[in-house]
Amino acid sequence: MKESPDLASGDAAGNPLFAALPPLLSIDEVCMVLGVHRNTLRRWRLRGFGPSSHAVGGGWAYRQDEVLEWLRRSCYCCRRVHGVSDARLGS
């Protein structure tokens, strides 16, 4: 899977990727932003982990601001579990 972009630093307004995304994100968009597989995101949702999800029209959607906030709060976990360097997180 491709490396996810550096989204942990700054705010959504200053990040070109988030500026181009709609306020409500699909599963595929969230997977791209977080750099995880659809099954991982589904597993996280079922276990109460990951960004908050919302049932919309028979499927699931994610609010852009909640995804960004979850990413900010989870930076330490990402470094510890996935071996993500501080440089990649922009800290």
Side-chain angles (χ1 to χ4, degrees):
M1 182 160 286
K2 292 194 286 187
E3 184 176 313
S4 60
D6 177 14
L7 302 174
S9 60
D11 63 329
N15 189 302
L17 177 61
F18 269 88
L21 291 173
L24 203 56
L25 305 176
S26 70
I27 291 171
D28 289 332
E29 289 168 325
V30 174
C31 289
M32 182 214 40
V33 167
L34 299 181
V36 298
H37 191 272
R38 289 178 62 94
N39 291 342
T40 300
L41 193 60
R42 178 180 177 274
R43 199 168 35 251
W44 286 355
R45 180 178 51 80
L46 293 173
R47 292 180 180 168
F49 183 72
S52 297
S53 56
H54 307 276
V56 177
W60 294 95
Y62 296 80
R63 287 184 43 195
Q64 180 193 118
D65 58 337
E66 291 175 345
V67 172
L68 182 59
E69 181 59 30
W70 179 84
L71 186 61
R72 284 188 185 131
R73 286 192 328 258
S74 302
C75 286
Y76 173 76
C77 176
C78 291
R79 286 194 297 265
R80 190 169 49 85
V81 174
H82 301 292
V84 176
S85 69
D86 285 347
R88 180 171 163 204
L89 292 173
S91 35

